[in-house]
Amino acid sequence: EDQVTQSPEALRLQEGESSSLNCSYTVSGLRGLFWYRQDPGKGPEFLFTLYSAGEEKEKERLKATLTKKESFLHITAPKPEDSATYLCAVDGTYKYIFGTGTRLKVLA
Amino acid sequence: EAQVTQNPRYLITVTGKKLTVTCSQNMNHEYMSWYRQDPGLGLRQIYYSMNVEVTDKGDVPEGYKVSRKEKRNFPLILESPSPNQTSLYFCASSPLGDSSYEQYFGPGTRLTVT
């Protein structure tokens, strides 16, 4: 059964304190792994797509990496505006499975 | 502006009263999908469509219907809503392809069934 597990469920960081979010997945035939950011009451906003193990992508303070079993979202020197829920999703065969997300709070 | 729109944004209804939530996208995307989001359960896919007249079940299709008569529209139909369908619903669209096919999400519809 396809499955996505994210950890931790919640994370509090001081501004400037770097950390990583984890996304473990099991899927038969990965077409892509996605990271989204979701602010309260809004729809998810796309961050990255990763297609194969070893791939890395960066955007401002965020860097996503992918192995055969998990993905990491590294946040370097976060700012309060990075506070949000970060969602991981996999596309097996056009069916999407989302994790339950990591709620990130960055304190000034 | 490229966007996915949903209507209504908020809806309170009673058990058994049929309702439709509309979804429209202006990006000429082939793929469209409906999700529900519940606390502790995350986003779960209800139905998806890969093109006009082509729809398929996601993980939680029971109690829902969809149709795709036009490429831009993908309405979600609850023929006999029940309280367990109270949730936050999102529509999404994306191009079909091997690269850069991230989903664009609508703003959400908060449904309460009493």
Side-chain angles (χ1 to χ4, degrees):
Chain A
E1 181 184 344
D2 296 346
Q3 194 169 343
V4 174
T5 303
Q6 291 187 246
S7 62
E9 286 187 18
L11 183 62
R12 290 168 69 93
L13 299 173
Q14 291 293 324
E15 184 173 3
E17 180 185 2
S18 301
S19 188
S20 296
L21 283 54
N22 177 263
C23 172
S24 299
Y25 66 91
T26 304
V27 63
S28 51
L30 179 71
R31 295 187 70 246
L33 184 141
F34 303 83
W35 282 98
Y36 289 87
R37 169 192 171 124
Q38 186 175 25
D39 294 301
K42 295 192 175 181
E45 179 184 334
F46 171 76
L47 293 174
F48 302 108
T49 309
L50 301 167
Y51 296 98
S52 57
E55 191 174 0
E56 299 182 353
K57 288 191 177 174
E58 288 189 65
K59 179 180 179 180
E60 296 180 358
R61 296 178 292 282
L62 300 176
K63 178 180 177 180
T65 63
L66 180 65
T67 72
K68 288 187 177 180
K69 293 184 179 180
E70 56 190 352
S71 177
F72 292 93
L73 185 65
H74 308 277
I75 304 177
T76 302
K79 298 182 177 181
E81 53 262 42
D82 294 322
S83 298
T85 296
Y86 291 85
L87 303 173
C88 172
V90 296
D91 170 13
T93 49
Y94 300 103
K95 287 181 70 170
Y96 287 82
I97 306 295
F98 278 79
T100 52
T102 294
R103 293 190 312 278
L104 174 65
K105 178 73 173 177
V106 182
L107 304 171
Chain B
E1 180 190 356
Q3 60 182 347
V4 177
T5 57
Q6 295 179 227
N7 283 293
R9 294 288 314 281
Y10 302 90
L11 180 59
I12 301 174
T13 190
V14 297
T15 299
K17 185 176 182 182
K18 182 179 178 179
L19 66 92
T20 299
V21 184
T22 65
C23 173
S24 184
Q25 50 96 2
N26 63 1
M27 295 167 279
N28 201 36
H29 287 165
E30 293 87 1
Y31 187 95
M32 297 187 74
S33 182
W34 275 103
Y35 298 86
R36 61 177 290 174
Q37 188 171 38
D38 303 289
L41 296 177
L43 275 163
R44 293 179 292 167
Q45 194 171 34
I46 303 171
Y47 270 95
Y48 64 95
S49 169
M50 295 176 65
N51 215 326
V52 175
E53 303 292 1
V54 180
T55 62
D56 212 340
K57 297 177 180 179
D59 281 339
V60 289
E62 296 78 19
Y64 304 95
K65 285 178 59 177
V66 293
S67 68
R68 186 93 181 271
K69 293 184 169 52
E70 303 168 283
K71 196 172 185 179
R72 63 182 292 130
N73 297 323
F74 191 45
L76 179 69
I77 303 158
L78 285 72
E79 297 222 322
S80 184
S82 63
N84 64 11
Q85 293 178 298
T86 292
S87 187
L88 179 59
Y89 291 86
F90 289 102
C91 180
S93 74
S94 74
L96 275 180
D98 293 328
S99 65
S100 194
Y101 63 100
E102 68 269 15
Q103 292 187 82
Y104 294 79
F105 282 81
T109 294
R110 188 168 292 281
L111 172 65
T112 302
V113 184
T114 61

